[in-house]
Amino acid sequence: MPYDRTFNWEPSRRWVRGYKGAVAVVDSRAAVLVWEPGHPVPRYAFPEADVRTDLLRPAENPPAGTHEGATRFFDLVVDGEVAYNAAFEYPDLPGYLSLEWFQRAEPVLDRWLEEEEEIFVHPRDPYKRVDPIPSSRHVRIEIGGQVVADSREPVLLYETGLPTRYYIPPKDVNFDLLVPTDTHTRCPYKGQASYWSLREPVEGVPADVAWAYPDPIPAAAAIKDHVAFYNEVVDIVVDGVKEERPVTLFTTRLAEN
């Protein structure tokens, strides 16, 4: 896995396209994956010839000190709509352009494809695995002393860098204790999630504590409609043994909700 304190890049053999509306701004079979220091997920950079540079103009107000010292920034103009600082060049990758993708309030492009599959949020990391495996373990989820789910048919999802997530079949979840919310998130490895909060709030348990993927991507089909809970804030008992609550990249955010 690329070291997270240095600038790394490697070729990708995937055909990558990015669209603004119906306009293909990027169409490349020679993309490279780039890992910036301190960023846990990669982004793509593309040969300039594979980017619609006719839609780019020098940035009016380029940001300083971002993207490993990039000094060349470009605004993207499509059908009169401007996305500022949408593209940039890494000093260590001359001749390649990267487009802003994630961590922006408004996305630069509307749609990204790897081959014919739409991808969300950020490129999938080839060094990260997401393995949903059906199990016969006995898993019980408790919140505030109440049993919210109890199953001997969970799907255990093993994801690099995260604790095991226990996805429970809907028949084994007590939905009387939950209420659906309007929250939706996207994951590049699983798809779009829908959420539930507790019907009766419990101190220390945030909103949107449970989620499911009604229409997961094919690689995660085993978790379809199954419900998972944040291990960080609920009690999970597996085969009679209560698990410790892990500290993860979600812990701080959950504490703030």
Side-chain angles (χ1 to χ4, degrees):
M1 185 172 184
Y3 187 53
D4 65 359
R5 294 182 183 175
T6 60
F7 181 82
N8 287 278
W9 63 273
E10 65 179 46
S12 170
R13 296 186 61 82
R14 300 184 184 193
W15 177 22
V16 182
R17 286 162 288 168
Y19 291 86
K20 183 69 172 177
V23 178
V25 177
V26 176
D27 188 333
S28 182
R29 292 170 172 81
V32 298
L33 282 166
V34 176
W35 287 263
E36 294 184 9
H39 287 263
V41 298
R43 65 173 70 241
Y44 276 120
F46 309 95
E48 285 192 31
D50 296 343
V51 180
R52 286 282 304 274
T53 54
D54 59 304
L55 302 176
L56 300 178
R57 69 185 188 195
E60 295 180 3
N61 297 292
T66 61
H67 300 303
E68 288 306 283
T71 56
R72 294 182 66 205
F73 283 84
F74 304 88
D75 298 333
L76 173 69
V77 185
V78 178
D79 296 331
E81 183 179 344
V82 181
Y84 295 99
N85 300 312
F88 56 92
E89 181 185 69
Y90 290 107
D92 290 343
L93 275 176
Y96 284 76
L97 292 174
S98 186
L99 278 84
E100 290 285 10
W101 193 333
F102 48 95
Q103 297 178 324
R104 280 184 58 137
E106 295 294 332
V108 166
L109 299 186
D110 303 321
R111 188 167 177 251
W112 287 94
L113 297 176
E114 287 180 348
E115 302 299 334
E116 296 302 322
E117 184 170 294
E118 187 170 3
I119 54 176
F120 312 100
V121 188
H122 60 77
R124 288 180 287 214
D125 192 327
Y127 295 95
K128 182 170 184 174
R129 290 190 62 89
V130 178
D131 296 318
I133 303 177
S135 176
S136 59
R137 296 197 195 200
H138 182 199
V139 177
R140 188 170 73 250
I141 312 293
E142 299 178 0
I143 302 177
Q146 288 188 300
V147 176
V148 184
D150 192 321
S151 181
R152 295 180 183 273
E153 301 174 73
V155 174
L156 276 55
L157 189 131
Y158 298 95
E159 184 169 353
T160 305
L162 288 174
T164 304
R165 299 299 191 192
Y166 299 94
Y167 282 80
I168 310 299
K171 68 181 180 65
D172 294 333
V173 177
N174 185 354
F175 286 101
D176 291 340
L177 301 177
L178 303 173
V179 59
T181 74
D182 293 330
T183 301
H184 298 281
T185 61
R186 284 183 166 184
C187 169
Y189 306 99
K190 298 184 285 290
Q192 179 170 287
S194 301
Y195 286 77
W196 290 265
S197 293
L198 290 176
R199 191 175 297 277
E200 298 293 334
V202 171
E203 185 177 355
V205 179
D208 298 324
V209 69
W211 69 91
Y213 290 89
D215 187 24
I217 67 173
I223 63 171
K224 178 179 171 62
D225 293 326
H226 287 46
V227 181
F229 297 78
Y230 280 110
N231 312 45
E232 295 87 340
V233 294
V234 306
D235 294 319
I236 300 181
V237 181
V238 180
D239 293 334
V241 178
K242 184 177 178 180
E243 297 201 334
E244 292 186 13
R245 294 185 181 181
V247 176
T248 72
L249 54 86
F250 294 102
T251 299
T252 300
R253 179 171 63 80
L254 291 168
E256 293 171 348
N257 286 353

